[in-house]
PDB file of all heavy atoms in Angstrom:
ATOM      1  N   GLU T   1     -81.657 -38.599 -37.108  1.00  0.00           N
ATOM      2  CA  GLU T   1     -81.915 -38.454 -38.556  1.00  0.00           C
ATOM      3  C   GLU T   1     -83.108 -37.505 -38.797  1.00  0.00           C
ATOM      4  O   GLU T   1     -83.053 -36.689 -39.697  1.00  0.00           O
ATOM      5  CB  GLU T   1     -82.189 -39.824 -39.168  1.00  0.00           C
ATOM      6  CG  GLU T   1     -80.979 -40.730 -39.222  1.00  0.00           C
ATOM      7  CD  GLU T   1     -81.245 -42.002 -40.010  1.00  0.00           C
ATOM      8  OE1 GLU T   1     -82.328 -42.072 -40.649  1.00  0.00           O
ATOM      9  OE2 GLU T   1     -80.367 -42.864 -40.018  1.00  0.00           O
ATOM     10  N   ALA T   2     -84.130 -37.610 -37.961  1.00  0.00           N
ATOM     11  CA  ALA T   2     -85.302 -36.718 -38.111  1.00  0.00           C
ATOM     12  C   ALA T   2     -84.964 -35.292 -37.635  1.00  0.00           C
ATOM     13  O   ALA T   2     -85.461 -34.323 -38.195  1.00  0.00           O
ATOM     14  CB  ALA T   2     -86.471 -37.286 -37.285  1.00  0.00           C
ATOM     15  N   THR T   3     -84.160 -35.181 -36.576  1.00  0.00           N
ATOM     16  CA  THR T   3     -83.767 -33.881 -36.054  1.00  0.00           C
ATOM     17  C   THR T   3     -82.258 -33.883 -35.949  1.00  0.00           C
ATOM     18  O   THR T   3     -81.666 -34.069 -34.870  1.00  0.00           O
ATOM     19  CB  THR T   3     -84.399 -33.654 -34.670  1.00  0.00           C
ATOM     20  OG1 THR T   3     -85.811 -33.886 -34.743  1.00  0.00           O
ATOM     21  CG2 THR T   3     -84.179 -32.192 -34.186  1.00  0.00           C
ATOM     22  N   PRO T   4     -81.574 -33.671 -37.087  1.00  0.00           N
ATOM     23  CA  PRO T   4     -80.121 -33.791 -37.078  1.00  0.00           C
ATOM     24  C   PRO T   4     -79.414 -32.709 -36.282  1.00  0.00           C
ATOM     25  O   PRO T   4     -78.328 -32.961 -35.752  1.00  0.00           O
ATOM     26  CB  PRO T   4     -79.729 -33.707 -38.571  1.00  0.00           C
ATOM     27  CG  PRO T   4     -80.878 -33.020 -39.216  1.00  0.00           C
ATOM     28  CD  PRO T   4     -82.099 -33.378 -38.452  1.00  0.00           C
ATOM     29  N   TRP T   5     -79.976 -31.527 -36.204  1.00  0.00           N
ATOM     30  CA  TRP T   5     -79.416 -30.448 -35.420  1.00  0.00           C
ATOM     31  C   TRP T   5     -80.313 -30.091 -34.247  1.00  0.00           C
ATOM     32  O   TRP T   5     -81.524 -30.078 -34.364  1.00  0.00           O
ATOM     33  CB  TRP T   5     -79.231 -29.191 -36.286  1.00  0.00           C
ATOM     34  CG  TRP T   5     -77.978 -29.212 -37.107  1.00  0.00           C
ATOM     35  CD1 TRP T   5     -77.711 -30.029 -38.193  1.00  0.00           C
ATOM     36  CD2 TRP T   5     -76.843 -28.385 -36.966  1.00  0.00           C
ATOM     37  NE1 TRP T   5     -76.493 -29.766 -38.696  1.00  0.00           N
ATOM     38  CE2 TRP T   5     -75.934 -28.718 -37.995  1.00  0.00           C
ATOM     39  CE3 TRP T   5     -76.517 -27.372 -36.065  1.00  0.00           C
ATOM     40  CZ2 TRP T   5     -74.673 -28.111 -38.113  1.00  0.00           C
ATOM     41  CZ3 TRP T   5     -75.280 -26.744 -36.226  1.00  0.00           C
ATOM     42  CH2 TRP T   5     -74.375 -27.098 -37.217  1.00  0.00           C
ATOM     43  N   VAL T   6     -79.694 -29.757 -33.131  1.00  0.00           N
ATOM     44  CA  VAL T   6     -80.424 -29.251 -31.996  1.00  0.00           C
ATOM     45  C   VAL T   6     -80.356 -27.721 -32.091  1.00  0.00           C
ATOM     46  O   VAL T   6     -79.290 -27.091 -31.873  1.00  0.00           O
ATOM     47  CB  VAL T   6     -79.817 -29.701 -30.666  1.00  0.00           C
ATOM     48  CG1 VAL T   6     -80.578 -29.106 -29.476  1.00  0.00           C
ATOM     49  CG2 VAL T   6     -79.867 -31.245 -30.608  1.00  0.00           C
ATOM     50  N   LEU T   7     -81.453 -27.095 -32.460  1.00  0.00           N
ATOM     51  CA  LEU T   7     -81.485 -25.643 -32.625  1.00  0.00           C
ATOM     52  C   LEU T   7     -82.336 -25.021 -31.535  1.00  0.00           C
ATOM     53  O   LEU T   7     -83.429 -25.516 -31.206  1.00  0.00           O
ATOM     54  CB  LEU T   7     -82.129 -25.321 -33.990  1.00  0.00           C
ATOM     55  CG  LEU T   7     -81.410 -25.914 -35.220  1.00  0.00           C
ATOM     56  CD1 LEU T   7     -82.155 -25.541 -36.495  1.00  0.00           C
ATOM     57  CD2 LEU T   7     -79.967 -25.447 -35.284  1.00  0.00           C
ATOM     58  N   GLY T   8     -81.855 -23.968 -30.925  1.00  0.00           N
ATOM     59  CA  GLY T   8     -82.553 -23.313 -29.859  1.00  0.00           C
ATOM     60  C   GLY T   8     -82.521 -21.805 -30.070  1.00  0.00           C
ATOM     61  O   GLY T   8     -81.623 -21.256 -30.715  1.00  0.00           O
ATOM     62  N   TRP T   9     -83.519 -21.139 -29.514  1.00  0.00           N
ATOM     63  CA  TRP T   9     -83.696 -19.717 -29.774  1.00  0.00           C
ATOM     64  C   TRP T   9     -84.095 -18.949 -28.533  1.00  0.00           C
ATOM     65  O   TRP T   9     -84.959 -19.428 -27.785  1.00  0.00           O
ATOM     66  CB  TRP T   9     -84.764 -19.507 -30.833  1.00  0.00           C
ATOM     67  CG  TRP T   9     -84.520 -20.275 -32.091  1.00  0.00           C
ATOM     68  CD1 TRP T   9     -84.869 -21.565 -32.359  1.00  0.00           C
ATOM     69  CD2 TRP T   9     -83.843 -19.791 -33.280  1.00  0.00           C
ATOM     70  NE1 TRP T   9     -84.504 -21.913 -33.602  1.00  0.00           N
ATOM     71  CE2 TRP T   9     -83.872 -20.851 -34.223  1.00  0.00           C
ATOM     72  CE3 TRP T   9     -83.268 -18.565 -33.606  1.00  0.00           C
ATOM     73  CZ2 TRP T   9     -83.319 -20.718 -35.470  1.00  0.00           C
ATOM     74  CZ3 TRP T   9     -82.740 -18.434 -34.900  1.00  0.00           C
ATOM     75  CH2 TRP T   9     -82.734 -19.526 -35.806  1.00  0.00           C
ATOM     76  N   GLY T  10     -83.441 -17.776 -28.337  1.00  0.00           N
ATOM     77  CA  GLY T  10     -83.952 -16.823 -27.381  1.00  0.00           C
ATOM     78  C   GLY T  10     -83.310 -16.809 -26.016  1.00  0.00           C
ATOM     79  O   GLY T  10     -83.882 -16.205 -25.081  1.00  0.00           O
ATOM     80  N   TYR T  11     -82.125 -17.447 -25.818  1.00  0.00           N
ATOM     81  CA  TYR T  11     -81.527 -17.366 -24.484  1.00  0.00           C
ATOM     82  C   TYR T  11     -81.108 -15.930 -24.200  1.00  0.00           C
ATOM     83  O   TYR T  11     -80.606 -15.201 -25.076  1.00  0.00           O
ATOM     84  CB  TYR T  11     -80.370 -18.337 -24.345  1.00  0.00           C
ATOM     85  CG  TYR T  11     -79.104 -17.935 -25.101  1.00  0.00           C
ATOM     86  CD1 TYR T  11     -78.178 -17.033 -24.523  1.00  0.00           C
ATOM     87  CD2 TYR T  11     -78.840 -18.422 -26.368  1.00  0.00           C
ATOM     88  CE1 TYR T  11     -77.025 -16.684 -25.178  1.00  0.00           C
ATOM     89  CE2 TYR T  11     -77.690 -18.039 -27.041  1.00  0.00           C
ATOM     90  CZ  TYR T  11     -76.793 -17.182 -26.446  1.00  0.00           C
ATOM     91  OH  TYR T  11     -75.637 -16.789 -27.108  1.00  0.00           O
ATOM     92  N   PRO T  12     -81.289 -15.454 -22.963  1.00  0.00           N
ATOM     93  CA  PRO T  12     -80.872 -14.093 -22.633  1.00  0.00           C
ATOM     94  C   PRO T  12     -79.342 -13.980 -22.595  1.00  0.00           C
ATOM     95  O   PRO T  12     -78.693 -14.731 -21.802  1.00  0.00           O
ATOM     96  CB  PRO T  12     -81.474 -13.841 -21.251  1.00  0.00           C
ATOM     97  CG  PRO T  12     -82.538 -14.890 -21.093  1.00  0.00           C
ATOM     98  CD  PRO T  12     -82.039 -16.069 -21.854  1.00  0.00           C
ATOM     99  N   PRO T  13     -78.693 -13.141 -23.354  1.00  0.00           N
ATOM    100  CA  PRO T  13     -77.224 -13.124 -23.382  1.00  0.00           C
ATOM    101  C   PRO T  13     -76.611 -12.745 -22.063  1.00  0.00           C
ATOM    102  O   PRO T  13     -75.467 -13.130 -21.797  1.00  0.00           O
ATOM    103  CB  PRO T  13     -76.903 -12.098 -24.492  1.00  0.00           C
ATOM    104  CG  PRO T  13     -78.150 -11.287 -24.637  1.00  0.00           C
ATOM    105  CD  PRO T  13     -79.283 -12.165 -24.302  1.00  0.00           C
ATOM    106  N   GLU T  14     -77.398 -12.040 -21.230  1.00  0.00           N
ATOM    107  CA  GLU T  14     -76.792 -11.597 -19.943  1.00  0.00           C
ATOM    108  C   GLU T  14     -76.557 -12.737 -18.945  1.00  0.00           C
ATOM    109  O   GLU T  14     -75.900 -12.528 -17.925  1.00  0.00           O
ATOM    110  CB  GLU T  14     -77.682 -10.521 -19.282  1.00  0.00           C
ATOM    111  CG  GLU T  14     -79.034 -10.980 -18.835  1.00  0.00           C
ATOM    112  CD  GLU T  14     -80.125 -10.857 -19.897  1.00  0.00           C
ATOM    113  OE1 GLU T  14     -79.761 -10.758 -21.094  1.00  0.00           O
ATOM    114  OE2 GLU T  14     -81.304 -10.878 -19.529  1.00  0.00           O
ATOM    115  N   ILE T  15     -77.103 -13.921 -19.229  1.00  0.00           N
ATOM    116  CA  ILE T  15     -76.861 -15.035 -18.330  1.00  0.00           C
ATOM    117  C   ILE T  15     -75.478 -15.651 -18.487  1.00  0.00           C
ATOM    118  O   ILE T  15     -75.047 -16.447 -17.653  1.00  0.00           O
ATOM    119  CB  ILE T  15     -77.935 -16.177 -18.492  1.00  0.00           C
ATOM    120  CG1 ILE T  15     -77.837 -16.830 -19.837  1.00  0.00           C
ATOM    121  CG2 ILE T  15     -79.349 -15.588 -18.233  1.00  0.00           C
ATOM    122  CD1 ILE T  15     -78.787 -17.991 -20.056  1.00  0.00           C
ATOM    123  N   LEU T  16     -74.750 -15.244 -19.559  1.00  0.00           N
ATOM    124  CA  LEU T  16     -73.430 -15.760 -19.833  1.00  0.00           C
ATOM    125  C   LEU T  16     -72.375 -14.677 -19.436  1.00  0.00           C
ATOM    126  O   LEU T  16     -72.604 -13.509 -19.675  1.00  0.00           O
ATOM    127  CB  LEU T  16     -73.236 -16.101 -21.307  1.00  0.00           C
ATOM    128  CG  LEU T  16     -74.129 -17.247 -21.803  1.00  0.00           C
ATOM    129  CD1 LEU T  16     -74.036 -17.308 -23.351  1.00  0.00           C
ATOM    130  CD2 LEU T  16     -73.678 -18.558 -21.213  1.00  0.00           C
ATOM    131  N   PRO T  17     -71.248 -15.075 -18.888  1.00  0.00           N
ATOM    132  CA  PRO T  17     -70.236 -14.101 -18.546  1.00  0.00           C
ATOM    133  C   PRO T  17     -69.785 -13.325 -19.788  1.00  0.00           C
ATOM    134  O   PRO T  17     -69.279 -13.906 -20.737  1.00  0.00           O
ATOM    135  CB  PRO T  17     -69.093 -14.955 -17.972  1.00  0.00           C
ATOM    136  CG  PRO T  17     -69.764 -16.231 -17.527  1.00  0.00           C
ATOM    137  CD  PRO T  17     -70.878 -16.428 -18.483  1.00  0.00           C
ATOM    138  N   GLY T  18     -69.992 -12.021 -19.751  1.00  0.00           N
ATOM    139  CA  GLY T  18     -69.657 -11.218 -20.914  1.00  0.00           C
ATOM    140  C   GLY T  18     -70.474 -11.514 -22.149  1.00  0.00           C
ATOM    141  O   GLY T  18     -70.117 -11.087 -23.235  1.00  0.00           O
ATOM    142  N   GLY T  19     -71.530 -12.316 -21.981  1.00  0.00           N
ATOM    143  CA  GLY T  19     -72.338 -12.698 -23.160  1.00  0.00           C
ATOM    144  C   GLY T  19     -71.726 -13.824 -23.977  1.00  0.00           C
ATOM    145  O   GLY T  19     -72.211 -14.103 -25.097  1.00  0.00           O
ATOM    146  N   VAL T  20     -70.681 -14.462 -23.473  1.00  0.00           N
ATOM    147  CA  VAL T  20     -69.958 -15.465 -24.260  1.00  0.00           C
ATOM    148  C   VAL T  20     -70.266 -16.854 -23.736  1.00  0.00           C
ATOM    149  O   VAL T  20     -70.097 -17.184 -22.574  1.00  0.00           O
ATOM    150  CB  VAL T  20     -68.454 -15.201 -24.178  1.00  0.00           C
ATOM    151  CG1 VAL T  20     -67.661 -16.307 -24.871  1.00  0.00           C
ATOM    152  CG2 VAL T  20     -68.094 -13.852 -24.813  1.00  0.00           C
ATOM    153  N   GLY T  21     -70.733 -17.740 -24.680  1.00  0.00           N
ATOM    154  CA  GLY T  21     -71.009 -19.151 -24.364  1.00  0.00           C
ATOM    155  C   GLY T  21     -69.874 -20.006 -24.875  1.00  0.00           C
ATOM    156  O   GLY T  21     -69.297 -19.771 -25.914  1.00  0.00           O
ATOM    157  N   ARG T  22     -69.617 -21.102 -24.135  1.00  0.00           N
ATOM    158  CA  ARG T  22     -68.517 -22.018 -24.487  1.00  0.00           C
ATOM    159  C   ARG T  22     -69.072 -23.332 -24.991  1.00  0.00           C
ATOM    160  O   ARG T  22     -70.062 -23.884 -24.512  1.00  0.00           O
ATOM    161  CB  ARG T  22     -67.596 -22.221 -23.304  1.00  0.00           C
ATOM    162  CG  ARG T  22     -67.073 -20.896 -22.702  1.00  0.00           C
ATOM    163  CD  ARG T  22     -65.966 -21.142 -21.706  1.00  0.00           C
ATOM    164  NE  ARG T  22     -64.761 -21.651 -22.369  1.00  0.00           N
ATOM    165  CZ  ARG T  22     -63.788 -20.886 -22.891  1.00  0.00           C
ATOM    166  NH1 ARG T  22     -63.912 -19.547 -22.892  1.00  0.00           N
ATOM    167  NH2 ARG T  22     -62.708 -21.445 -23.446  1.00  0.00           N
ATOM    168  N   ALA T  23     -68.386 -23.875 -26.032  1.00  0.00           N
ATOM    169  CA  ALA T  23     -68.900 -25.067 -26.698  1.00  0.00           C
ATOM    170  C   ALA T  23     -68.966 -26.260 -25.772  1.00  0.00           C
ATOM    171  O   ALA T  23     -69.931 -27.051 -25.813  1.00  0.00           O
ATOM    172  CB  ALA T  23     -67.967 -25.380 -27.860  1.00  0.00           C
ATOM    173  N   GLU T  24     -67.994 -26.442 -24.906  1.00  0.00           N
ATOM    174  CA  GLU T  24     -67.961 -27.627 -24.060  1.00  0.00           C
ATOM    175  C   GLU T  24     -69.138 -27.701 -23.077  1.00  0.00           C
ATOM    176  O   GLU T  24     -69.526 -28.779 -22.630  1.00  0.00           O
ATOM    177  CB  GLU T  24     -66.623 -27.731 -23.304  1.00  0.00           C
ATOM    178  CG  GLU T  24     -66.352 -26.597 -22.312  1.00  0.00           C
ATOM    179  CD  GLU T  24     -65.618 -25.468 -22.932  1.00  0.00           C
ATOM    180  OE1 GLU T  24     -65.598 -25.333 -24.192  1.00  0.00           O
ATOM    181  OE2 GLU T  24     -65.048 -24.632 -22.168  1.00  0.00           O
ATOM    182  N   VAL T  25     -69.705 -26.546 -22.730  1.00  0.00           N
ATOM    183  CA  VAL T  25     -70.868 -26.546 -21.823  1.00  0.00           C
ATOM    184  C   VAL T  25     -72.053 -27.222 -22.535  1.00  0.00           C
ATOM    185  O   VAL T  25     -72.786 -27.995 -21.939  1.00  0.00           O
ATOM    186  CB  VAL T  25     -71.214 -25.099 -21.423  1.00  0.00           C
ATOM    187  CG1 VAL T  25     -72.494 -25.092 -20.579  1.00  0.00           C
ATOM    188  CG2 VAL T  25     -70.064 -24.488 -20.659  1.00  0.00           C
TER     189      VAL T  25
END
């Protein structure tokens, strides 16, 4: 309730294949 969303910032896109992240991860 105090932190309803988990928000994050600044991941390097090159760590993901083709820069694409998948929801299930």
Side-chain angles (χ1 to χ4, degrees):
E1 291 188 8
T3 309
W5 277 69
V6 178
L7 302 178
W9 305 86
Y11 73 85
E14 66 271 19
I15 66 177
L16 296 169
V20 175
R22 305 191 69 87
E24 62 269 18
V25 176

